[in-house]
DNA sequence: GTCGGGTTGACAATGATTCTCATTCTCAGT
DNA sequence: ACTGAGAATGAGAATCATTGTCAACCCGAC
């Protein structure tokens, strides 16, 4: 740790880059298992444990978003610069990104009011999209 | 199904009642495992699988809320009549309930705008509470 | 009392995630 | 370029929540 490295920052490695690349260029969320399969299919030979470690590392540093499927499996996505939330179809899994300045403001107001600091929040809207609604 | 039972509705049983009771009178969320241990401690002898089944059943019928801990474990809570969200301290785990009509309105507006119906949403705010903030 | 269908409990099976540890690799200083 | 120190990796085992299986059980209906 000399100067170009952020304190406590992750050391860049080909494997980590591969994991990050796997999340880049896809707008869907990917589970760790999927990332692993994808990399294996490309012959990267990155180990599953490494995928988990890399994802956890990036999630820690705010480079990727983590959320949970309904079955509890963790899914990851490259975090865009603007904080946004997701609208997920419970049937086909389609996701739509939505931004909510109103929500952002509301959460920080509420939290501050209760003396909370260093905030982060998760908002997920689950519903049935127009295509899947067949009644 | 005779008359007082809704078609396909759950049949009331001592075990199910016990599970529901375990969630009553506690304001915290409880994991299925915790409910099971609690019941075992009371000598109820309710099986773990039954706890899971009962919780899933009640969650299906909207009697309990389900959400996920950070480690992915599902936690359940008796659903109150008013939908509310939680402010959680990442350090001491204290939870504060907050209501947000603004959020409710915003989510349903956004979702409808994208053609989504039959909505549900999860909002969790994580931060450090005043007591735990020592700098 | 008997029948039938939902319910239960013990245990196995599944599947994601984490741990372990020996090997490998990166980086900085020489 | 070479080396040493420490971080990172990969393979598989270990962990742990959750779900599936199935025979025994209970409650209400006839």
């Amino acid at each position: 740790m000399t100067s170009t490295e952020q304190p406590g920052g992750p050391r860049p490695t080909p494997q980590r880059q591969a994991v990050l690349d796997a999340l880049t260029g896809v707008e869907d969320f990917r589970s760790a298992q999927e990332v692993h399969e994808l990399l294996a299919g490309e012959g990267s030979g990155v180990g599953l444990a490494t995928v988990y470690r890399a994802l956890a590392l990036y999630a820690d540093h705010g480079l990727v978003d983590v959320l949970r499927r309904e079955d509890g499996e963790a899914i990851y996505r490259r975090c865009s610069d603007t904080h946004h939330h997701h609208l997920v179809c419970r049937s086909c899994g389609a996701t739509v990104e939505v931004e909510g300045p109103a929500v952002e403001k509301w959460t920080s107001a509420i939290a501050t009011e209760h003396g909370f600091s260093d905030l982060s929040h998760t908002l997920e809207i689950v519903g049935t999209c127009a295509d899947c609604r067949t009644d």
Side-chain angles (χ1 to χ4, degrees), chain A residues 33-122:
Chain A
Q33 305 282 342
E34 286 166 353
V35 170
H36 178 236
E37 281 176 30
L38 185 68
L39 294 178
E42 292 176 346
S44 299
V46 178
L48 181 56
T50 302
V51 172
Y52 275 102
R53 280 185 290 238
L55 289 173
L57 195 63
Y58 284 130
D60 247 18
H61 286 255
L63 278 168
V64 301
D65 270 336
V66 191
L67 53 92
R68 297 264 171 189
R69 284 209 190 120
E70 288 203 1
D71 65 357
E73 190 172 354
I75 49 181
Y76 304 84
R77 179 179 178 166
R78 187 131 196 204
C79 193
S80 56
D81 34 5
T82 65
H83 184 81
H84 55 254
H85 301 288
H86 293 95
L87 193 50
V88 185
C89 174
R90 68 164 59 85
S91 173
C92 67
T95 62
V96 180
E97 286 185 13
V98 291
E99 286 185 29
V103 176
E104 313 298 321
K105 241 189 269 182
W106 179 81
T107 54
S108 73
I110 284 287
T112 304
E113 184 181 311
H114 287 274
F116 279 61
S117 57
D118 192 20
L119 306 169
S120 75
H121 63 269
T122 309

